[in-house]
Amino acid sequence: KTNGVLLDEENIRRFSECPPTGIDVSLYGYNPESYKAVTGHDVFARVVENIKNAVAAGINVRLMVTPNRYIYPWIDDVLEFAAGFKIPVNVNSILLRAREGITRSIDDYGLSQSEYIYVAKKRKMMFNNIVNDDMEQITDESVIHEITGLQCAAARRAFTVNWEGVMLPCLAFPKELISEDPTVLGFDEAFSRMNKAVKEFGSPEECSECSHKMKCHYCPVKHGEHALKHSCDPEFCDMWKRILDI
């Protein structure tokens, strides 16, 4: 993942010689004004040029748009601009809480329920999907009964090592629930333990009676502090049901 500023000619040449599976480039605006308002930096033209050059060089580029309080005033234009590149676009469904040690909070940059739902409708209309996340849910009914625990890619084919060197199932997974130390256990053992833990992680009792249980899967990241009590955040559930019903 990159903001695209350093995806310059030299790095594109290196990636062309040793192609990565893909490169995700965050898009923070649709013109110099919006880009600078969101990031504080006047580098819109450079980022756009770098994206075009990388695509022309045959590199698999995906644009990442993260709706938030700062970009929301231009969200329609940003999504239209992203679609114009004619390459894959990922519009994040939710915002993650800021990591420990950061002074900002999700109250500063988060959206309201109605704003999240508006973005979901735009995503459906423009990109023909409602939820567009890397940690996709396993929904194939022919195999879903064989899947135990968390029904996503976390600690199955993905993992994160945070700033403290702690291995987590995914970027924002609560370390209080599942985490391992690869510097002590070694990579293989740490991942093996995490994999076992996510397979044994059961959904809260509320999920078993939920009308949307076949459309949704329990994600501790999305339920914040409620997840630490192994329960659901009612406010989030209400919003998520409305999004899934679009």
Side-chain angles (χ1 to χ4, degrees):
K1 288 181 170 62
T2 175
N3 59 21
V5 174
L6 298 181
L7 190 60
D8 54 17
E9 182 178 344
E10 176 62 20
N11 282 317
I12 288 174
R13 182 188 63 77
R14 291 173 178 170
F15 288 134
S16 296
E17 294 173 355
C18 301
T21 301
I23 297 177
D24 291 341
V25 181
S26 297
L27 189 63
Y28 295 112
Y30 78 102
N31 62 12
E33 176 193 4
S34 58
Y35 197 97
K36 187 173 182 179
V38 174
T39 67
H41 299 282
D42 188 12
V43 293
F44 173 78
R46 187 197 310 180
V47 169
V48 171
E49 181 181 7
N50 290 348
I51 292 171
K52 291 179 177 179
N53 289 341
V55 172
I59 297 172
N60 292 323
V61 176
R62 180 175 64 164
L63 297 180
M64 307 291 287
V65 178
T66 301
N68 56 65
R69 174 66 48 219
Y70 311 115
I71 203 172
Y72 190 77
W74 299 280
I75 193 63
D76 287 358
D77 294 313
V78 172
L79 294 180
E80 291 285 355
F81 184 70
F85 281 90
K86 306 299 182 183
I87 59 177
V89 177
N90 184 86
V91 184
N92 290 321
S93 303
I94 63 168
L95 289 166
L96 303 179
R97 288 165 175 77
R99 64 182 176 86
E100 294 179 8
I102 300 297
T103 56
R104 66 183 181 182
S105 73
I106 197 166
D107 293 333
D108 301 323
Y109 55 82
L111 300 178
S112 66
Q113 275 204 20
S114 61
E115 290 168 337
Y116 274 121
I117 291 169
Y118 177 81
V119 172
K121 289 179 178 178
K122 290 289 294 187
R123 183 190 302 117
K124 173 70 173 178
M125 179 180 69
M126 296 182 63
F127 304 108
N128 197 33
N129 57 62
I130 299 172
V131 178
N132 194 5
D133 290 318
D134 287 337
M135 296 291 113
E136 70 271 15
Q137 180 185 2
I138 301 168
T139 55
D140 187 341
E141 293 187 9
S142 66
V143 300
I144 196 169
H145 66 280
E146 301 175 3
I147 305 299
T148 59
L150 296 177
Q151 297 177 12
C152 67
R156 295 180 189 269
R157 64 169 180 81
F159 69 92
T160 292
V161 176
N162 70 11
W163 295 88
E164 301 169 342
V166 176
M167 182 182 287
L168 302 167
C170 71
L171 180 63
F173 202 95
K175 64 182 181 181
E176 297 89 346
L177 295 179
I178 300 176
S179 63
E180 299 293 346
D181 188 343
T183 65
V184 174
L185 299 172
F187 176 87
D188 289 346
E189 180 62 20
F191 185 82
S192 178
R193 291 189 184 189
M194 279 204 322
N195 179 260
K196 182 175 184 292
V198 300
K199 290 177 179 178
E200 295 176 348
F201 195 98
S203 298
E205 186 176 343
E206 302 100 299
C207 294
S208 63
E209 302 298 327
C210 179
S211 59
H212 289 61
K213 63 183 179 182
M214 292 306 295
K215 294 182 179 180
C216 175
H217 70 109
Y218 183 72
C219 173
V221 173
K222 296 175 181 177
H223 292 270
E225 294 182 0
H226 293 265
L228 302 182
K229 303 174 184 177
H230 203 242
S231 63
C232 297
D233 178 349
E235 184 176 338
F236 175 81
C237 288
D238 176 64
M239 180 189 74
W240 204 243
K241 288 175 183 177
R242 294 168 65 188
I243 288 176
L244 292 175
D245 286 339
I246 293 173

